Amino acid sequence: IIYDRFGTPLVLNSSSFSLVMIPVDLAKSSKEKEEILNKTISIFNLDKEELNSLLNDPLRIGSFDPILIKTNLSLEEVRRFETSVNVGLGFNIISDYSRYYPYGDSFVHVLGYIGKISSQEISQYKDYPLTAMIGKDGLEAYYERDLQGKPGKRIIEVDAALNIKNNLGAVEPEKGQDIVTTLDKDLQEVFYNSLKERMEQMNSKGAAGIALNPKTGEILSLVSLPSFDPNLFTSGFPKDKINQYLNDESHPLFNRATNGVYPVGSLIKPLIALAALEEKVIDPNYKILAEKEIVIENPYHPGESYIFKEWQNHGWVDMRKALAVSSNIYFWTIGGGYDGIAGLGLERIKKYWLKFGFDKAFGIDLPTEGKAILPDAEWLKKNRPDDPYWRLGDTYNIAVGEGGFSLTPLKMVGYISSIANNGILMKPHLVREIKDINGNPKTFVPPEKIVDVGVSLENLGIVQEGMREVVKSGTGIYLNDLPIEVAAKSGSPKIF
């Protein structure tokens, strides 16, 4: 069982029936075999091509091992089969269990789901029987070995003609280990429903959200939209609904929170501010006029210029106010240089990308994690071959989180949490504890530091004050309604 942090079960197991096929027991007569196959296909609404592929699989031909065909059988299916098919000639009904996800869509990108073991997975899990249901995604897949337990076995002796000679006993099954996650079930549901409502209001194609404790790295909630019902994939039916999910252009099976890579936009401005303070590019109290636009003359083509327009006139801004109102001119200036200020430049900006760990996977306990896009001159050669030279405008773009610079939402929340936690990033994780088969604590997952940005607390404090001003007087002022004091940074990237 997988539990939330307060002991609420997020998955349930219940008794059920499953259909299995034992290849060695199939009727030897081609006519009788075809008749039984057709009846079985009809009763259980099976895919004939899929069943034939199993029959012709060289790993399974003549096998004694039962092959799982369909789970969660209805009583009507069981009755029809037992009264119309010669039981024992290849197909049998077995007592089994079914895995049920009571919170369905809202947890699927964290929990994942289980399904029938495939031919490819058999080579990975060589000790698993062909009837195994294994984790296909999420925590179910990542902690497969912990959750699975050990299957029971009946040991028999056969002669050369495959006749059973002796029953040598049985090995009793052993339950898997329970897992206690860092998730808050109630928060997850509220987060999921509110994000879904907002997505629909904005007519957006997708959304993602993560709530993370900066002090421990514990993820309290992780949401990706659109979503899907894992119970359909676990049961394998109805096929038309599953195919609808698989072919949906909005890709509901894709975990946007950990694998999606998106332009960061103004969310990167606290990093640029911190880098400028550390590199002594600007005094935090120095004011820049953030109105209208910046005009850059092309040094190679006199008379040609590039215009970078401020999104709104802000007047004179120092660093704290620039963060509060999200001034582009201020960050173009300290990022690329303008009007007597040298600017950080690409290499020093890259230095701080690496300090925050953007080039490395965080190692969250999920099967996959998206990779950041960190533009530089080499990246331009591949992605802008008609104009592969890094220019001042490219530096301006990355200074405000554009120009191809992209992170996963997980990376974004990790970076912001390290600012909140005074330059320390704790490893984001979803599991707190693994219990043994008797329910006793076996493995506790302690907080783990994975990044120390290595900057002065004084400079971090200035950035934190600017992010507090975002809420007190800037672009995040609506967050003042919260019952606690918060700091923030808004971001509205241009997506092409």
Side-chain angles (χ1 to χ4, degrees), residues 91-161:
F91 292 92
N92 283 289
I93 303 291
I94 61 169
S95 296
D96 204 355
Y97 74 91
S98 63
R99 190 82 152 163
Y100 178 66
Y101 301 92
Y103 306 107
D105 303 33
S106 60
F107 272 89
V108 65
H109 288 104
V110 187
L111 299 179
Y113 58 94
I114 66 171
K116 292 189 296 184
I117 192 167
S118 68
S119 299
Q120 294 76 21
E121 290 161 337
I122 288 170
S123 61
Q124 181 181 353
Y125 300 102
K126 294 179 180 178
D127 55 327
Y128 280 28
L130 300 179
T131 53
M133 297 283 283
I134 71 166
K136 297 289 186 176
D137 202 359
L139 295 176
E140 292 276 29
Y142 191 89
Y143 290 97
E144 163 61 29
R145 286 286 185 181
D146 299 288
L147 291 162
Q148 178 67 233
K150 295 179 181 178
K153 295 179 182 178
R154 185 164 66 92
I155 305 170
I156 56 175
E157 180 185 356
V158 298
D159 61 18

Side-chain angles (χ1 to χ4, degrees), residues 10-69:
L10 304 177
V11 300
L12 300 171
N13 296 323
S14 60
S15 298
S16 68
F17 296 103
S18 293
L19 175 70
V20 298
M21 177 177 70
I22 304 175
V24 74
D25 289 341
L26 285 167
K28 302 300 184 281
S29 161
S30 298
K31 182 180 179 182
E32 187 178 13
K33 180 179 176 181
E34 186 69 18
E35 182 182 340
I36 290 172
L37 285 174
N38 288 335
K39 281 185 179 180
T40 305
I41 288 168
S42 174
I43 292 168
F44 298 104
N45 192 26
L46 302 177
D47 185 313
K48 189 168 186 176
E49 287 186 14
E50 186 177 325
L51 195 56
N52 281 329
S53 70
L54 289 174
L55 290 168
N56 295 318
D57 186 340
L59 290 174
R60 293 172 159 123
I61 294 173
S63 172
F64 277 95
D65 289 329
I67 300 169
L68 185 62
I69 302 299

Side-chain angles (χ1 to χ4, degrees), residues 282-288 317-319 330 339 341:
I282 196 169
D283 183 287
N285 299 312
Y286 183 85
K287 293 185 176 180
I288 292 174
V317 298
D318 61 11
M319 182 172 283
Y330 184 93
D339 196 21
I341 295 175

Side-chain angles (χ1 to χ4, degrees), residues 210 257 356-362 369-372 407-416:
I210 301 172
F356 277 92
F358 292 167
D359 60 325
K360 298 181 178 68
F362 285 168
E369 188 178 327
K371 189 176 180 180
L407 301 175
T408 64
L410 177 65
K411 275 278 196 306
M412 296 181 201
V413 77
Y415 140 63
I416 292 297

Side-chain angles (χ1 to χ4, degrees), residues 408-427:
T408 64
L410 177 65
K411 275 278 196 306
M412 296 181 201
V413 77
Y415 140 63
I416 292 297
S417 78
S418 61
I419 291 178
N421 198 31
N422 293 331
I424 302 297
L425 173 62
M426 307 303 290
K427 182 178 179 177

